Amino acid sequence: MKINIKKICGEDIISRDAGKKIRDLLLENWSAKCIEISIGKIPIGSASFFDEAFALLLKREAKTIDEIKHKLKFVDICDDDRKLLNYVLMARITEVKMKA
Amino acid sequence: MKIIKFPKSPKLKYANSLIRSVNEVLSTKDRQVFFDLTATEELDALAISFLCGLINMTLENNPKVSIKYPLNKKIKSVVKLLEKSITSDKLHETKIQSNSFQLRKVTSNNNLYIEQMLTLLQIELKFGESTRGSLRIVLTELLTNSIDHSGEKACYICLGRWPNSPYLHLVCLDFGVGIPAKLRTRFPELDNDVTAFKNQHEQGLTTRRARDGGRGYRLIQDILMANKGRLNIISNSAKVSYKYDKGDYKVIASKEGFTGTCVDIQFNPSRGGFEETLVKQHIEDFF
């Protein structure tokens, strides 16, 4: 399964609304063994987008970080976006642990 | 005819005069409007953003805008550049650029404008990738906040460097509902704008309390703390002034209030901020 963020979200690849589109698509296809995610040349740079698209899988959809790491493959994520993705994932992991 | 005078030094310290101009423009309709900049001796990101916003706002309700130029030649050339761009494209995305600053009027969640600004300025001002990455995060967060929450679907983003300041100056200005007003609609127990800001500072600056989200300003603050920069917000009748380089944090009433939000950031160009935040918070490499 391949997801191209630019094709799905169009011009807006930074808002929470855009992130929700991606999360919904991930959930529809969660049974796939592997989901390849392509971002494209322009970095996203949006904590809101990454949180809504990926990190909320932890809090709202009860996915584990191991599941997410195993299933999602970011084929062209730049270093800045990769660090931002890790940042929002860590924030939600901490939040989920504190509530448990 | 209506004359709106710009002050000698329309910088953050004297932002009240700019706020006053916003209210004058809002109360002016169907008149010929002059922006008098004859006394203005300096401009920075704040003044440029307000000037563009004020001219655009004036053109929505008045047939004609004219500018009386500053006497200072350097400032005059910047103002001419602004005037040409705004009045010829009054209904479209405004793009203004010079060697030391970039300004865009943005009306959608489109991060291409941010990448353009960063690329062009990085060439001129020669800041590093760490600075660029941190600025991208801050600018993107401010853009989405304005477009998604202000109710106006337009904001002015200005980024640049000015003489006599060691910082990169970044402004995001909109004429939407304002942060305290939005907070107080959601939480009526917050009885004034200063209380609204203070209360939210204790829980992180967000209008999304008790809903998912609202981490944006927290991340901006973390970056600026590591960067030893400064965060200033003027919105409705309150002002926030956080000087991370001095450990000085204030939330006070603004002498002049306005419907809108102005975020004015001073960013240390020799540092990033996000990288240090990752180290400090022990962020793991999941990907």
Side-chain angles (χ1 to χ4, degrees):
Chain A
M1 167 76 198
K2 291 182 181 180
I3 292 178
N4 182 310
I5 288 178
K6 190 81 180 127
K7 277 192 182 155
I8 302 296
C9 300
E11 193 179 84
D12 173 7
I13 55 169
I14 58 175
S15 70
R16 281 200 175 269
D17 285 348
K20 177 91 176 23
K21 285 182 193 173
I22 299 302
R23 193 170 87 245
D24 287 346
L25 198 52
L26 289 171
L27 291 169
E28 279 170 32
N29 294 280
W30 200 255
S31 58
K33 193 174 170 186
C34 172
I35 303 175
E36 279 190 6
I37 297 163
S38 170
I39 289 174
K41 284 184 185 169
I42 307 289
I44 291 176
S46 170
S48 301
F49 173 86
F50 281 119
D51 184 51
E52 192 73 35
F54 305 109
L56 282 181
L57 290 167
L58 294 158
K59 179 178 175 180
R60 293 241 190 109
E61 317 299 341
K63 304 300 182 198
T64 65
I65 188 63
D66 285 337
E67 267 185 283
I68 293 171
K69 278 168 62 177
H70 184 74
K71 197 170 289 281
L72 304 186
K73 303 290 174 219
F74 291 89
V75 297
D76 58 1
I77 191 167
C78 68
D79 207 42
D80 284 350
D81 276 351
R82 186 184 62 79
K83 288 172 185 170
L84 191 51
L85 172 62
N86 288 330
Y87 173 87
V88 298
L89 287 169
M90 188 79 189
R92 290 296 180 190
I93 287 170
T94 306
E95 185 186 343
V96 167
K97 271 187 191 162
M98 282 174 69
K99 284 192 175 166
Chain B
M1 187 173 80
K2 171 77 178 175
I3 297 175
I4 294 176
K5 285 196 87 143
F6 250 56
K8 180 177 166 184
S9 180
K11 298 175 83 162
L12 184 64
K13 197 173 169 183
Y14 306 107
N16 287 328
S17 55
L18 295 170
I19 304 292
R20 208 174 300 127
S21 299
V22 172
N23 295 322
E24 283 186 73
V25 164
L26 285 172
S27 63
T28 303
K29 285 183 172 47
D30 301 321
R31 294 167 78 175
Q32 185 179 0
V33 178
F34 283 92
F35 283 91
D36 184 352
L37 275 75
T38 48
T40 303
E41 292 181 2
E42 48 190 341
L43 292 176
D44 64 1
L46 186 76
I48 287 168
S49 303
F50 267 95
L51 183 58
C52 291
L54 286 167
I55 292 174
N56 265 330
M57 210 191 300
T58 306
L59 285 169
E60 285 171 16
N61 293 308
N62 299 277
K64 193 174 172 178
V65 167
S66 302
I67 299 179
K68 292 187 180 181
Y69 294 123
L71 298 174
N72 179 300
K73 282 184 185 171
K74 273 191 184 170
I75 309 295
K76 182 177 177 179
S77 67
V78 172
V79 173
K80 280 194 162 187
L81 180 68
L82 294 171
E83 185 189 20
K84 188 181 168 192
S85 295
I86 297 163
T87 54
S88 63
D89 293 314
K90 70 174 182 177
L91 296 174
H92 300 97
E93 300 279 344
T94 301
K95 178 171 92 171
I96 296 166
Q97 49 201 34
S98 77
N99 287 345
S100 63
F101 76 90
Q102 296 279 319
L103 179 137
R104 302 286 187 278
K105 178 186 173 186
V106 188
T107 57
S108 65
N109 275 318
N110 187 340
N111 66 334
L112 277 181
Y113 300 112
I114 291 172
E115 278 315 299
Q116 271 173 12
M117 294 168 80
L118 289 172
T119 298
L120 290 166
L121 277 173
Q122 191 176 24
I123 293 168
E124 288 298 328
L125 303 181
K126 302 189 191 332
F127 47 80
E129 284 302 311
S130 179
T131 297
R132 180 180 179 144
S134 296
L135 283 170
R136 181 189 294 117
I137 293 171
V138 170
L139 282 165
T140 306
E141 187 59 37
L142 293 176
L143 172 59
T144 55
N145 283 348
S146 256
I147 299 297
D148 291 346
H149 300 307
S150 75
E152 267 300 301
K153 300 288 183 196
C155 65
Y156 299 84
I157 297 180
C158 185
L159 172 66
R161 189 139 185 201
W162 276 268
N164 305 321
S165 173
Y167 293 109
L168 283 171
H169 290 252
L170 185 170
V171 165
C172 181
L173 170 68
D174 68 63
F175 299 104
V177 65
I179 298 172
K182 192 144 191 188
L183 287 169
R184 292 174 67 195
T185 304
R186 194 157 287 152
F187 306 108
E189 68 273 19
L190 302 170
D191 57 2
N192 63 60
D193 290 347
V194 173
T195 305
F197 259 141
K198 275 187 181 170
N199 185 274
Q200 287 308 305
H201 172 62
E202 287 161 16
Q203 302 180 46
L205 276 174
T206 171
T207 61
R208 297 177 69 106
R209 195 170 73 179
R211 288 161 53 190
D212 283 318
R215 293 168 186 273
Y217 267 117
R218 169 54 57 203
L219 179 52
I220 290 175
Q221 287 189 72
D222 287 343
I223 288 173
L224 287 173
M225 188 171 293
N227 179 261
K228 302 232 182 292
R230 296 181 178 184
L231 170 65
N232 300 279
I233 308 174
I234 308 168
S235 190
N236 301 136
S237 299
K239 275 189 199 180
V240 165
S241 168
Y242 297 157
K243 295 178 183 173
Y244 296 100
D245 56 322
K246 296 189 173 183
D248 179 32
Y249 309 107
K250 282 187 207 138
V251 182
I252 57 175
S254 178
K255 274 188 195 167
E256 302 274 349
F258 84 117
T259 307
T261 298
C262 176
V263 180
D264 180 308
I265 287 174
Q266 286 145 66
F267 197 92
N268 189 335
S270 60
R271 300 170 76 118
F274 185 52
E275 303 273 351
E276 291 91 330
T277 301
L278 296 174
V279 169
K280 190 176 171 186
Q281 296 185 18
H282 309 291
I283 303 299
E284 287 183 46
D285 274 351
F286 304 110
F287 285 98

